[in-house]
Amino acid sequence: MAITASMVKELREMTGAGMMDCKKALAATDGDMDKAVEFLREKGLAAAEKKAGRIAAEGIVATNVSADGKVASIVEVNSETDFVAKNEKFQTYVADVAAQAASTSATDIEAFLSEAWAPDTNMTVKEALAAQIAVIGENMNIRRFEKIVAENGFVESYIHAGGRVGVLVEVETSVVNDQTKAVAKDVAMQIAAIAPKYLSSEEVPADYKEHEKEILKAQAMNENPDKPENIIEKMIIGRLNKQLKEVCLLEQAFIKDEDLTVKKYVEAAAKEVGADITIKRFVRFETGEGIEKKEEDFAAEVAAQMAK
């Protein structure tokens, strides 16, 4: 049976499900509207769409690392409440998402959501998410993921505060043992605690440096209006270098020994191991960072419900 635009529109209005999901449902049920509604409900899509307007800013970060340490993934999956984030069913689901991310070939979230869901290939990742929303009863969102493949070394992971912060660190080395893994774990804990933006000052974009220099120049001139420009310039350079040490991992003071930078700590460990150890890159996810949480007026919400 030919599926018309008006049929898709009608089903969408009945269920609140997405347009493409409605089209698929009608195609799968030969245009039978009632069966199409059931199809969407079984997939959890109708229920999911009704909850889609709610802000999901809680949740957890999870990692997945292969047995040989060569392949690792990190994901952030959001929920509406911290209560759900602590739910065992939710945590098991997020672990499955992390496993999916470790095997994916997708490079963006849209492609990832379109993949077949590994635990049940009859569904896509998006459909499996919708099914979880229907079961758990809160809006949820697979916000982001990243995958690392270490060609010459391994990947170490670290989860802090029950999934509030997650870190992956790629280490390049010819020696993979308990000692080099301990070094990587220390670095991962540093990243979780101090939240660097860049690996080293060489990685900092020129436009970032120029922007910060303009801000620092304005600050210095306001504080010292009578100082000559060449002195101001030296002050700016000094302040910028200090700032870069705070945002660049390898230049940060090492949290376990502040007499060392992270770079010096890794170099000392490499000398002890007798092999080069290089921190290649890192990924740090913090749950809900950058998401504007909706402020709820609980009393007003109850009053509104009672007035219905």
Side-chain angles (χ1 to χ4, degrees):
M1 180 180 179
I3 307 302
T4 65
S6 62
M7 292 169 67
V8 173
K9 181 175 181 291
E10 182 182 352
L11 183 59
R12 179 176 169 77
E13 289 173 351
M14 288 171 65
T15 63
M19 199 171 297
M20 290 307 297
D21 293 322
C22 289
K23 188 175 180 181
K24 286 180 184 177
L26 288 163
T29 57
D30 292 323
D32 187 308
M33 199 63 66
D34 291 336
K35 288 182 179 178
V37 171
E38 290 180 9
F39 178 94
L40 290 170
R41 290 186 64 194
E42 287 169 2
K43 294 287 187 183
L45 294 169
E49 291 295 330
K50 289 174 184 175
K51 298 180 180 70
R54 301 180 191 168
I55 297 172
E58 297 294 336
I60 56 174
V61 175
T63 58
N64 182 286
V65 182
S66 62
D68 62 2
K70 294 287 187 182
V71 181
S73 65
I74 182 168
V75 299
E76 179 188 352
V77 181
N78 300 122
S79 60
E80 290 179 55
T81 65
D82 184 51
F83 177 77
V84 163
K86 293 175 181 177
N87 179 281
E88 186 178 347
K89 186 185 289 291
F90 177 77
Q91 293 178 357
T92 299
Y93 167 70
V94 177
D96 286 341
V97 175
Q100 178 96 19
S103 63
T104 190
S105 58
T107 56
D108 60 67
I109 197 69
E110 289 77 16
F112 182 70
L113 291 171
S114 299
E115 286 184 343
W117 176 236
D120 182 355
T121 54
N122 291 318
M123 294 191 286
T124 64
V125 174
K126 182 180 179 181
E127 289 169 343
L129 170 64
Q132 286 294 320
I133 293 170
V135 170
I136 290 175
E138 276 196 12
N139 189 26
M140 290 159 49
N141 179 43
I142 301 174
R143 186 184 182 200
R144 51 183 170 165
F145 74 94
E146 197 151 337
K147 177 180 176 180
I148 294 179
V149 179
E151 295 181 4
N152 302 301
F154 65 97
V155 183
E156 186 61 64
S157 72
Y158 176 68
I159 294 293
H160 179 69
R164 175 60 59 182
V165 176
V167 174
L168 292 181
V169 180
E170 181 184 356
V171 179
E172 187 175 273
T173 182
S174 58
V175 175
V176 180
N177 59 19
D178 289 345
Q179 198 168 355
T180 52
K181 287 182 178 179
V183 171
K185 184 69 78 176
D186 281 342
V187 173
M189 291 172 69
Q190 171 96 17
I191 295 163
I194 311 298
K197 297 183 187 304
Y198 305 98
L199 180 63
S200 67
S201 55
E202 288 77 20
E203 282 194 358
V204 179
D207 59 350
Y208 176 90
K209 291 180 182 178
E210 286 303 313
H211 178 69
E212 292 303 311
K213 280 176 72 174
E214 288 299 319
I215 294 172
L216 292 170
K217 183 177 181 179
Q219 290 175 352
M221 291 179 72
N222 285 333
E223 293 167 5
N224 306 276
D226 299 326
K227 285 193 182 293
E229 193 170 332
N230 65 321
I231 300 297
I232 292 289
E233 190 64 30
K234 287 180 181 178
M235 290 173 64
I236 293 167
I237 292 170
R239 291 182 183 184
L240 181 62
N241 287 337
K242 182 183 178 183
Q243 185 172 317
L244 290 177
K245 286 180 181 179
E246 294 172 356
V247 300
C248 297
L249 171 66
L250 296 179
E251 281 110 278
Q252 286 179 344
F254 181 46
I255 52 175
K256 287 190 172 182
D257 183 351
E258 293 193 355
D259 290 333
L260 297 174
T261 62
V262 172
K263 183 180 180 180
K264 292 294 184 185
Y265 164 68
V266 173
E267 287 174 347
K271 191 173 181 180
E272 192 175 322
V273 171
D276 287 341
I277 301 174
T278 302
I279 307 301
K280 292 289 288 180
R281 62 169 164 154
F282 69 88
V283 181
R284 182 187 187 276
F285 285 176
E286 183 168 347
T287 303
E289 60 186 341
I291 299 175
E292 187 175 338
K293 296 185 182 182
K294 184 180 179 182
E295 295 296 327
E296 299 288 356
D297 184 336
F298 184 69
E301 186 178 335
V302 171
Q305 291 294 325
M306 291 179 68
K308 289 183 179 178

